[in-house]
Every structure is written in structure tokens, then in C-alpha cells.
Amino acid sequence: MRSLLLAVAATTCLFTPLAHAATTLKMATDSGAKGSPAGNALKKWADLIEQKSKGDIKVKVFYQNELGGQQEVFDLHVAGDVQLMLNWPMTSYDKRIGVIYTPYMTTSWDDALKAYSPGGWVNNLLGGIYNDIGLKFFGPWPEGFNGVATRGGHALTIGDAKNIKVRTMTVFPAPQTMQALGYQTAAIDWGEVYTAMQTGVVDGEAGNVIFWDYEYFRDIVKTYVRTKHFFMTGVLSMNHKAWDKLSAEQQKVVSEASLEIMNDQFKAAKAQDEFYVKKAVEAGIKYIEPSPAELAVLGKAAREKVWPLMEKEIGAEIVKTIRSNASPL
């Protein structure tokens, strides 16, 4: 009898399906600590994927600098070691990604959100470019128009900017844009900006919406001028090889969660930006918006000097599309 029971038990084990192992994905951002708007979006994105998949997908979240600097984390993303990312695009793998940093491409919230929304002309451009470097483009995570934060003096004209040295992003055409606006420039990695401003290596930084300057530099920054040279947006993306390994149901889950995060930010971005303007002013930062006439002069100079350079770097066809769709100055 004992032998018979053992035999039955063994047979039952052979035909009992093993428990399905959950798929584990790594998710990271290159800019945004835990508790920041970007960090909160990252956490919600991970939570949505786990909830919608009913535990079939587990997500490990890594915030700013936990896996390295901006370029290092993007390298991991392209290589597939980080499968999901909210990042501010680097052009090291394809210079065409620089389309997102075209100066004065859009000049109003309405124009920017239309251009970057699904079906919008910038959205369509980015989707194709991301696919070519092995990444699935889910959509943008818009922040708003950026400006120049300085420790002391500030500029509203090209002439006034000549004695101000600012940190720019290392990506093309960020330095070229600020030079067109009259500034001296230094391309410095994000993780080194505070020290560079504190020690006087640069007089300010010129790459962000006001949140970042308020959050990280408010004890140094005295003035923020909303030059609007770029409409800043992060990008929600996934490594394509990792995407292809997911089941159809898992792909649906990840895609739906990504769309929800993007839509949340489209609704929240402008109010979020205005909230941090108030916070910055309360902290003693002088906030300045150039007049439409002043912005038109800056925009014309940047377009005349930078857009021809972009034709050589990212292609005449892309710049032709930009010229056809750009906001009026």
C-alpha cells in the first residue's frame, strides 16, 4: 500500500504545473530623486504595471544617480540592462534625438502639447527615431518651457548675456543654442552642476524648468529668466528586445500603464510648473518673463544660427518638418 501511495504521489507531481515565475523589469530615471515629480511618476508607473498585471510583472525602481549618471543609465537602457526608463534623451546613439532640443520649435503650451501628444508631429518623429536605436517610444513626459537660472546678474538681451557663463546640457544643440543667445557656455554633467555653480565655475545653469533650480539650487540661485529656448520633456520608453520578450497580455499592461502616466503629466504639467514658480518666488528667487518682443528677438537669433547646424547633424528632412510646423515667433 505504501508503495502504491508513493507511486501515485510521484505521478501527481509529474502532471502538476509549476508555479509561473513573475517577469522582473528594471525601471530607472536619470533625473529625479524619490519624492520629486519625476520620481513620483516613476513609482506610479511601476505600481500600475504590477497592479494591472496582477503580480505577473514585478518592477524594480531606481531613482536619479542610483545606477550612475545620465549617460551611464541611458547606456544601460539601450543595452537592455534597464528595461524601462523615464529619461531626458541623450544623443550619443542617434543625433536625430536632438530634435527634442530644437530651440524655439514651439513657443506656447497649446502648440507644445499638440506637437508632443500621440499623433502630433514631434511625437511621430521621435517614435521612429527611438525605434531605430532599439527602444520602444511610449510617449513624452512634458515639464514645460525652460530658462536661465543665475547666481547674480541676468540677461534679457543677447548683448547683456555676453559676460554670463552658464552650464548647459552636454547634448547637441544645447551649448550652441545658448551661444546663439549670447552666453558663454560650459557643458557639465547634471551631477556636477551644484558644485560648479557654488564654486563659480559657472554663473548659472540654462537647461531646466524652474522646478530643478528651486529644488537643487535655491540657496545659490538669485534670478530665473524664462527664456523658453526649449520645451523640456522626459520620454517614457522600453528596450525593444525586452518588449519583444513580453507576452501580448504583458505588452498591453505596460503600454496602458505608460499611456496613463503620460496623460497624467499632460494634465498636470502646466499647473505643476506654475506651482514651483510660486515656491521659487517665496524662496527669494526673482522670476522674470521676457516680453513677447524680447522673446521674438531671442528666438529669431537661435533659429538663424542653430537650425542650419541641425540640418547637418540631424538631417535636412527633419529640419524641413520643423520649419513647416514650428510656432510663429
Side-chain angles (χ1 to χ4, degrees):
M1 177 61 75
R2 183 172 181 275
S3 298
L4 179 61
L5 290 172
L6 289 172
V8 171
T11 303
T12 302
C13 289
L14 285 174
F15 290 97
T16 300
L18 295 173
H20 176 69
T23 298
T24 300
L25 301 174
K26 291 180 182 177
M27 174 186 289
T29 184
D30 56 12
S31 303
K34 189 173 183 178
S36 68
N40 290 338
L42 200 73
K43 180 64 166 60
K44 183 176 179 180
W45 191 17
D47 289 344
L48 283 172
I49 291 172
E50 292 189 346
Q51 291 164 10
K52 288 176 179 291
S53 71
K54 296 180 172 59
D56 187 45
I57 303 175
K58 300 293 184 185
V59 184
K60 293 183 177 179
V61 176
F62 297 90
Y63 299 98
Q64 175 184 314
N65 293 331
E66 291 185 353
L67 293 176
Q70 192 171 18
Q71 183 64 60
E72 293 170 298
V73 187
F74 194 62
D75 289 343
L76 292 173
H77 187 41
V78 174
D81 295 319
V82 170
Q83 291 81 36
L84 291 157
M85 197 166 181
L86 166 55
N87 77 316
W88 279 256
M90 303 296 288
T91 58
S92 50
Y93 291 89
D94 193 322
K95 290 181 179 178
R96 294 177 301 162
I97 292 176
V99 68
I100 207 169
Y101 299 121
T102 304
Y104 296 97
M105 183 166 61
T106 58
T107 57
S108 73
W109 273 94
D110 285 346
D111 285 351
L113 294 181
K114 286 177 186 176
Y116 283 91
S117 295
W121 65 276
V122 178
N123 192 297
N124 291 339
L125 279 176
L126 290 171
I129 294 168
Y130 262 63
N131 186 66
D132 288 346
I133 61 173
L135 298 177
K136 182 170 180 58
F137 177 84
F138 291 120
W141 192 81
E143 292 184 290
F145 291 99
N146 67 352
V148 180
T150 51
R151 301 170 56 205
H154 66 275
L156 293 173
T157 67
I158 293 171
D160 288 344
K162 64 181 180 180
N163 293 320
I164 300 175
K165 187 173 185 178
V166 293
R167 171 265 176 183
T168 70
M169 295 177 288
T170 57
V171 297
F172 173 86
Q176 292 81 359
T177 296
M178 298 317 298
Q179 289 161 14
L181 300 184
Y183 294 88
Q184 301 174 43
T185 62
I188 299 173
D189 186 77
W190 175 245
E192 300 171 5
V193 177
Y194 185 91
T195 302
M197 290 178 65
Q198 187 181 47
T199 57
V201 173
V202 291
D203 301 305
E205 78 90 20
N208 292 289
V209 295
I210 199 167
F211 161 76
W212 299 96
D213 297 299
Y214 164 77
E215 184 70 15
Y216 291 95
F217 314 126
R218 63 179 176 267
D219 60 329
I220 302 174
V221 166
K222 301 299 182 187
T223 307
Y224 184 92
V225 179
R226 181 85 71 172
T227 49
K228 286 187 167 183
H229 50 284
F230 299 146
F231 183 77
M232 299 302 293
T233 180
V235 167
L236 300 165
S237 58
M238 184 170 186
N239 179 276
H240 228 304
K241 289 182 179 178
W243 168 261
D244 291 340
K245 289 179 182 178
L246 298 180
S247 68
E249 184 59 33
Q250 289 174 326
Q251 288 180 345
K252 181 182 178 184
V253 163
V254 174
S255 184
E256 287 180 351
S258 306
L259 185 62
E260 185 169 335
I261 293 299
M262 181 186 71
N263 286 336
D264 282 352
Q265 186 62 12
F266 267 86
K267 294 174 185 175
K270 188 175 182 181
Q272 184 175 284
D273 187 57
E274 291 171 351
F275 171 79
Y276 281 105
V277 168
K278 293 179 182 177
K279 296 286 285 185
V281 171
E282 289 170 1
I285 296 173
K286 185 177 182 180
Y287 174 77
I288 301 172
E289 287 198 15
S291 69
E294 289 168 332
L295 279 175
V297 172
L298 297 177
K300 186 172 184 289
R303 287 182 178 186
E304 288 179 351
K305 293 184 178 180
V306 179
W307 286 16
L309 300 177
M310 296 187 70
E311 288 183 345
K312 298 176 183 178
E313 292 290 330
I314 69 175
E317 281 303 310
I318 291 178
V319 176
K320 182 180 179 181
T321 300
I322 293 169
R323 291 184 186 277
S324 299
N325 293 279
S327 298
L329 291 173

